[in-house]
Amino acid sequence: EEACDDYLKCNKKKTFEGLKGVDVLLQNNNTLFLIEMKDYRKCSILPIDHIVSEVAKKFRDTLYVLWCGSQKDEEDDEKKLADSARRKKLGLSFVFHFESPEPAYASGLFSSRRGVIALSSVRDKLAKNLGYMSTHLYVIDMAAMRHSPDLLPWKVEEARP
């Protein structure tokens, strides 16, 4: 283990070692969205249980980092956001945007090596993994966003070359 002269810096490094965070934090009105995105359209898909476990870890780790951020001494935007989330001034919503290698269907179905799985099935697995945090959990793809355009306060479009 390397020597460290700055206790706070070393402690911070050890505290956050091995943690993973979501791809996007988005504040919209009184809600903080924790958004994780996975795009398997151009590569082979991992087993769903592995994906769900990884996404749940990212959601939990992000909440931990937000809590730690709310404990900072200096007052900055990062602390204000984290403190608002911790004190429940902001509602928390968890969003897993998942694109699969098979064409998206309006029903939210996609193919895997073991057959067809519904996005609702992925949501159920993720909700079970997250426990009480799953109250405001969305599992979506672009087809679901087109089908329910007012579900979330943003739009997702295909990237243009």
Side-chain angles (χ1 to χ4, degrees), residues 41-127:
R41 290 176 295 178
K42 296 182 181 173
C43 60
S44 61
I45 192 169
L46 297 169
I48 295 302
D49 289 340
H50 174 79
I51 293 169
V52 165
S53 176
E54 187 76 14
V55 171
K57 178 178 178 19
K58 286 185 173 193
F59 284 148
R60 285 190 302 269
D61 287 356
T62 301
L63 287 177
Y64 173 70
V65 171
L66 281 170
W67 183 85
C68 289
S70 73
Q71 306 301 308
K72 288 173 42 173
D73 289 332
E74 60 270 11
E75 290 291 329
D76 58 11
D77 290 341
E78 184 180 291
K79 179 176 179 166
K80 289 176 189 169
L81 177 69
D83 197 48
S84 292
R86 185 177 65 83
R87 294 179 185 272
K88 298 183 181 178
K89 293 178 183 173
L90 291 175
L92 293 174
S93 287
F94 302 91
V95 180
F96 177 34
H97 187 113
F98 181 81
E99 295 295 337
S100 69
E102 297 299 318
Y105 300 99
S107 62
L109 298 177
F110 61 90
S111 295
S112 77
R113 282 180 242 149
R114 292 184 221 145
V116 177
I117 301 173
L119 288 178
S120 60
S121 171
V122 176
R123 188 202 181 284
D124 291 345
K125 287 176 182 277
L126 191 52

Side-chain angles (χ1 to χ4, degrees), residues 30-42:
N30 294 326
T31 303
L32 179 63
F33 292 92
L34 285 71
I35 306 167
E36 178 62 20
M37 298 173 278
K38 298 283 184 200
D39 188 349
Y40 289 103
R41 290 176 295 178
K42 296 182 181 173

